[in-house]
PDB file of all heavy atoms in Angstrom:
ATOM      1  N   HIS A 268     125.242  -2.672 264.956  1.00 69.00           N
ATOM      2  CA  HIS A 268     125.619  -3.677 265.968  1.00 69.00           C
ATOM      3  C   HIS A 268     124.469  -4.611 266.299  1.00 69.00           C
ATOM      4  O   HIS A 268     124.671  -5.786 266.599  1.00 69.00           O
ATOM      5  CB  HIS A 268     126.106  -2.972 267.234  1.00 69.00           C
ATOM      6  CG  HIS A 268     125.067  -2.123 267.897  1.00 69.00           C
ATOM      7  ND1 HIS A 268     124.694  -0.889 267.408  1.00 69.00           N
ATOM      8  CD2 HIS A 268     124.301  -2.345 269.002  1.00 69.00           C
ATOM      9  CE1 HIS A 268     123.762  -0.376 268.193  1.00 69.00           C
ATOM     10  NE2 HIS A 268     123.502  -1.234 269.162  1.00 69.00           N
ATOM     11  N   VAL A 269     123.217  -4.097 266.192  1.00 70.00           N
ATOM     12  CA  VAL A 269     122.037  -4.936 266.441  1.00 70.00           C
ATOM     13  C   VAL A 269     121.915  -5.989 265.346  1.00 70.00           C
ATOM     14  O   VAL A 269     121.701  -7.179 265.619  1.00 70.00           O
ATOM     15  CB  VAL A 269     120.762  -4.074 266.496  1.00 70.00           C
ATOM     16  CG1 VAL A 269     119.531  -4.966 266.668  1.00 70.00           C
ATOM     17  CG2 VAL A 269     120.858  -3.061 267.632  1.00 70.00           C
ATOM     18  N   LEU A 270     122.071  -5.548 264.090  1.00 70.00           N
ATOM     19  CA  LEU A 270     121.972  -6.472 262.960  1.00 70.00           C
ATOM     20  C   LEU A 270     123.098  -7.501 262.998  1.00 70.00           C
ATOM     21  O   LEU A 270     122.885  -8.685 262.720  1.00 70.00           O
ATOM     22  CB  LEU A 270     122.013  -5.690 261.643  1.00 70.00           C
ATOM     23  CG  LEU A 270     121.961  -6.512 260.350  1.00 70.00           C
ATOM     24  CD1 LEU A 270     120.695  -7.355 260.299  1.00 70.00           C
ATOM     25  CD2 LEU A 270     122.039  -5.596 259.130  1.00 70.00           C
ATOM     26  N   GLN A 271     124.296  -7.057 263.357  1.00 70.00           N
ATOM     27  CA  GLN A 271     125.437  -7.971 263.414  1.00 70.00           C
ATOM     28  C   GLN A 271     125.226  -9.064 264.461  1.00 70.00           C
ATOM     29  O   GLN A 271     125.591 -10.222 264.245  1.00 70.00           O
ATOM     30  CB  GLN A 271     126.707  -7.163 263.706  1.00 70.00           C
ATOM     31  CG  GLN A 271     127.153  -6.294 262.527  1.00 70.00           C
ATOM     32  CD  GLN A 271     128.082  -5.177 262.951  1.00 70.00           C
ATOM     33  OE1 GLN A 271     128.465  -5.068 264.108  1.00 70.00           O
ATOM     34  NE2 GLN A 271     128.444  -4.333 261.998  1.00 70.00           N
ATOM     35  N   ARG A 272     124.624  -8.704 265.588  1.00 71.00           N
ATOM     36  CA  ARG A 272     124.329  -9.704 266.618  1.00 71.00           C
ATOM     37  C   ARG A 272     123.253 -10.673 266.155  1.00 71.00           C
ATOM     38  O   ARG A 272     123.308 -11.879 266.433  1.00 71.00           O
ATOM     39  CB  ARG A 272     123.885  -9.004 267.900  1.00 71.00           C
ATOM     40  CG  ARG A 272     125.023  -8.338 268.666  1.00 71.00           C
ATOM     41  CD  ARG A 272     124.512  -7.620 269.894  1.00 71.00           C
ATOM     42  NE  ARG A 272     125.610  -6.998 270.646  1.00 71.00           N
ATOM     43  CZ  ARG A 272     125.432  -6.223 271.710  1.00 71.00           C
ATOM     44  NH1 ARG A 272     124.203  -5.988 272.143  1.00 71.00           N
ATOM     45  NH2 ARG A 272     126.473  -5.700 272.334  1.00 71.00           N
ATOM     46  N   GLN A 273     122.259 -10.153 265.423  1.00 70.00           N
ATOM     47  CA  GLN A 273     121.170 -10.995 264.953  1.00 70.00           C
ATOM     48  C   GLN A 273     121.646 -12.064 263.975  1.00 70.00           C
ATOM     49  O   GLN A 273     121.093 -13.171 263.942  1.00 70.00           O
ATOM     50  CB  GLN A 273     120.090 -10.124 264.300  1.00 70.00           C
ATOM     51  CG  GLN A 273     119.298  -9.290 265.284  1.00 70.00           C
ATOM     52  CD  GLN A 273     118.302  -8.382 264.593  1.00 70.00           C
ATOM     53  OE1 GLN A 273     118.363  -8.192 263.379  1.00 70.00           O
ATOM     54  NE2 GLN A 273     117.370  -7.815 265.367  1.00 70.00           N
ATOM     55  N   ILE A 274     122.663 -11.748 263.183  1.00 71.00           N
ATOM     56  CA  ILE A 274     123.153 -12.737 262.214  1.00 71.00           C
ATOM     57  C   ILE A 274     124.354 -13.507 262.747  1.00 71.00           C
ATOM     58  O   ILE A 274     124.998 -14.254 262.012  1.00 71.00           O
ATOM     59  CB  ILE A 274     123.500 -12.063 260.867  1.00 71.00           C
ATOM     60  CG1 ILE A 274     124.631 -11.032 261.036  1.00 71.00           C
ATOM     61  CG2 ILE A 274     122.299 -11.422 260.246  1.00 71.00           C
ATOM     62  CD1 ILE A 274     125.029 -10.356 259.724  1.00 71.00           C
ATOM     63  N   GLY A 275     124.665 -13.309 264.028  1.00 72.00           N
ATOM     64  CA  GLY A 275     125.650 -14.149 264.687  1.00 72.00           C
ATOM     65  C   GLY A 275     127.095 -13.746 264.519  1.00 72.00           C
ATOM     66  O   GLY A 275     127.992 -14.575 264.668  1.00 72.00           O
ATOM     67  N   ILE A 276     127.360 -12.466 264.205  1.00 76.00           N
ATOM     68  CA  ILE A 276     128.755 -12.009 264.077  1.00 76.00           C
ATOM     69  C   ILE A 276     129.263 -11.626 265.464  1.00 76.00           C
ATOM     70  O   ILE A 276     128.662 -10.785 266.145  1.00 76.00           O
ATOM     71  CB  ILE A 276     128.850 -10.806 263.123  1.00 76.00           C
ATOM     72  CG1 ILE A 276     128.404 -11.211 261.716  1.00 76.00           C
ATOM     73  CG2 ILE A 276     130.264 -10.243 263.096  1.00 76.00           C
ATOM     74  CD1 ILE A 276     128.445 -10.093 260.705  1.00 76.00           C
ATOM     75  N   PRO A 277     130.390 -12.210 265.903  1.00 76.00           N
ATOM     76  CA  PRO A 277     130.929 -11.878 267.231  1.00 76.00           C
ATOM     77  C   PRO A 277     131.451 -10.443 267.269  1.00 76.00           C
ATOM     78  O   PRO A 277     132.076  -9.964 266.324  1.00 76.00           O
ATOM     79  CB  PRO A 277     132.061 -12.898 267.420  1.00 76.00           C
ATOM     80  CG  PRO A 277     132.453 -13.299 266.031  1.00 76.00           C
ATOM     81  CD  PRO A 277     131.199 -13.232 265.204  1.00 76.00           C
ATOM     82  N   LEU A 278     131.154  -9.752 268.358  1.00 73.00           N
ATOM     83  CA  LEU A 278     131.597  -8.370 268.543  1.00 73.00           C
ATOM     84  C   LEU A 278     132.646  -8.304 269.639  1.00 73.00           C
ATOM     85  O   LEU A 278     132.644  -9.133 270.553  1.00 73.00           O
ATOM     86  CB  LEU A 278     130.401  -7.491 268.893  1.00 73.00           C
ATOM     87  CG  LEU A 278     129.280  -7.425 267.837  1.00 73.00           C
ATOM     88  CD1 LEU A 278     128.116  -6.590 268.351  1.00 73.00           C
ATOM     89  CD2 LEU A 278     129.805  -6.879 266.532  1.00 73.00           C
ATOM     90  N   PRO A 279     133.562  -7.332 269.625  1.00 78.00           N
ATOM     91  CA  PRO A 279     133.684  -6.269 268.632  1.00 78.00           C
ATOM     92  C   PRO A 279     134.365  -6.759 267.346  1.00 78.00           C
ATOM     93  O   PRO A 279     135.078  -7.766 267.351  1.00 78.00           O
ATOM     94  CB  PRO A 279     134.539  -5.225 269.344  1.00 78.00           C
ATOM     95  CG  PRO A 279     135.408  -6.042 270.255  1.00 78.00           C
ATOM     96  CD  PRO A 279     134.545  -7.181 270.719  1.00 78.00           C
ATOM     97  N   LEU A 280     134.163  -6.023 266.259  1.00 76.00           N
ATOM     98  CA  LEU A 280     134.761  -6.377 264.971  1.00 76.00           C
ATOM     99  C   LEU A 280     136.172  -5.821 264.869  1.00 76.00           C
ATOM    100  O   LEU A 280     136.494  -4.770 265.430  1.00 76.00           O
ATOM    101  CB  LEU A 280     133.918  -5.813 263.828  1.00 76.00           C
ATOM    102  CG  LEU A 280     132.458  -6.275 263.728  1.00 76.00           C
ATOM    103  CD1 LEU A 280     131.792  -5.631 262.531  1.00 76.00           C
ATOM    104  CD2 LEU A 280     132.364  -7.780 263.636  1.00 76.00           C
ATOM    105  N   THR A 281     137.010  -6.521 264.123  1.00 81.00           N
ATOM    106  CA  THR A 281     138.339  -6.000 263.826  1.00 81.00           C
ATOM    107  C   THR A 281     138.218  -4.924 262.748  1.00 81.00           C
ATOM    108  O   THR A 281     137.170  -4.761 262.105  1.00 81.00           O
ATOM    109  CB  THR A 281     139.257  -7.119 263.316  1.00 81.00           C
ATOM    110  OG1 THR A 281     138.749  -7.608 262.057  1.00 81.00           O
ATOM    111  CG2 THR A 281     139.322  -8.262 264.317  1.00 81.00           C
ATOM    112  N   TRP A 282     139.300  -4.197 262.518  1.00 77.00           N
ATOM    113  CA  TRP A 282     139.296  -3.135 261.493  1.00 77.00           C
ATOM    114  C   TRP A 282     138.987  -3.723 260.122  1.00 77.00           C
ATOM    115  O   TRP A 282     138.204  -3.139 259.361  1.00 77.00           O
ATOM    116  CB  TRP A 282     140.648  -2.441 261.468  1.00 77.00           C
ATOM    117  CG  TRP A 282     140.722  -1.330 260.448  1.00 77.00           C
ATOM    118  CD1 TRP A 282     140.355  -0.027 260.628  1.00 77.00           C
ATOM    119  CD2 TRP A 282     141.179  -1.445 259.090  1.00 77.00           C
ATOM    120  NE1 TRP A 282     140.544   0.686 259.466  1.00 77.00           N
ATOM    121  CE2 TRP A 282     141.058  -0.155 258.501  1.00 77.00           C
ATOM    122  CE3 TRP A 282     141.680  -2.482 258.321  1.00 77.00           C
ATOM    123  CZ2 TRP A 282     141.418   0.100 257.183  1.00 77.00           C
ATOM    124  CZ3 TRP A 282     142.035  -2.224 257.003  1.00 77.00           C
ATOM    125  CH2 TRP A 282     141.904  -0.957 256.447  1.00 77.00           C
ATOM    126  N   ALA A 283     139.576  -4.877 259.811  1.00 79.00           N
ATOM    127  CA  ALA A 283     139.352  -5.521 258.513  1.00 79.00           C
ATOM    128  C   ALA A 283     137.892  -5.952 258.363  1.00 79.00           C
ATOM    129  O   ALA A 283     137.299  -5.824 257.290  1.00 79.00           O
ATOM    130  CB  ALA A 283     140.277  -6.721 258.337  1.00 79.00           C
ATOM    131  N   GLN A 284     137.295  -6.453 259.464  1.00 73.00           N
ATOM    132  CA  GLN A 284     135.898  -6.868 259.423  1.00 73.00           C
ATOM    133  C   GLN A 284     134.961  -5.674 259.235  1.00 73.00           C
ATOM    134  O   GLN A 284     133.962  -5.757 258.515  1.00 73.00           O
ATOM    135  CB  GLN A 284     135.540  -7.621 260.706  1.00 73.00           C
ATOM    136  CG  GLN A 284     136.156  -9.005 260.811  1.00 73.00           C
ATOM    137  CD  GLN A 284     135.895  -9.650 262.164  1.00 73.00           C
ATOM    138  OE1 GLN A 284     135.873  -8.970 263.203  1.00 73.00           O
ATOM    139  NE2 GLN A 284     135.688 -10.957 262.164  1.00 73.00           N
ATOM    140  N   VAL A 285     135.307  -4.552 259.870  1.00 73.00           N
ATOM    141  CA  VAL A 285     134.504  -3.332 259.707  1.00 73.00           C
ATOM    142  C   VAL A 285     134.531  -2.866 258.263  1.00 73.00           C
ATOM    143  O   VAL A 285     133.500  -2.497 257.684  1.00 73.00           O
ATOM    144  CB  VAL A 285     135.015  -2.219 260.649  1.00 73.00           C
ATOM    145  CG1 VAL A 285     134.346  -0.885 260.312  1.00 73.00           C
ATOM    146  CG2 VAL A 285     134.741  -2.590 262.099  1.00 73.00           C
ATOM    147  N   GLN A 286     135.736  -2.871 257.643  1.00 73.00           N
ATOM    148  CA  GLN A 286     135.865  -2.456 256.245  1.00 73.00           C
ATOM    149  C   GLN A 286     135.084  -3.374 255.322  1.00 73.00           C
ATOM    150  O   GLN A 286     134.430  -2.918 254.375  1.00 73.00           O
ATOM    151  CB  GLN A 286     137.345  -2.434 255.848  1.00 73.00           C
ATOM    152  CG  GLN A 286     138.191  -1.427 256.608  1.00 73.00           C
ATOM    153  CD  GLN A 286     137.674  -0.012 256.463  1.00 73.00           C
ATOM    154  OE1 GLN A 286     137.408   0.450 255.362  1.00 73.00           O
ATOM    155  NE2 GLN A 286     137.528   0.681 257.580  1.00 73.00           N
ATOM    156  N   ALA A 287     135.149  -4.685 255.579  1.00 76.00           N
ATOM    157  CA  ALA A 287     134.419  -5.647 254.753  1.00 76.00           C
ATOM    158  C   ALA A 287     132.913  -5.447 254.901  1.00 76.00           C
ATOM    159  O   ALA A 287     132.161  -5.515 253.919  1.00 76.00           O
ATOM    160  CB  ALA A 287     134.812  -7.071 255.144  1.00 76.00           C
TER     161      ALA A 287
END
Side-chain angles (χ1 to χ4, degrees):
H268 63 284
V269 176
L270 178 59
Q271 289 160 4
R272 286 178 179 175
Q273 289 176 347
I274 62 179
I276 297 179
L278 299 176
L280 300 181
T281 65
W282 180 87
Q284 288 174 324
V285 170
Q286 296 303 311

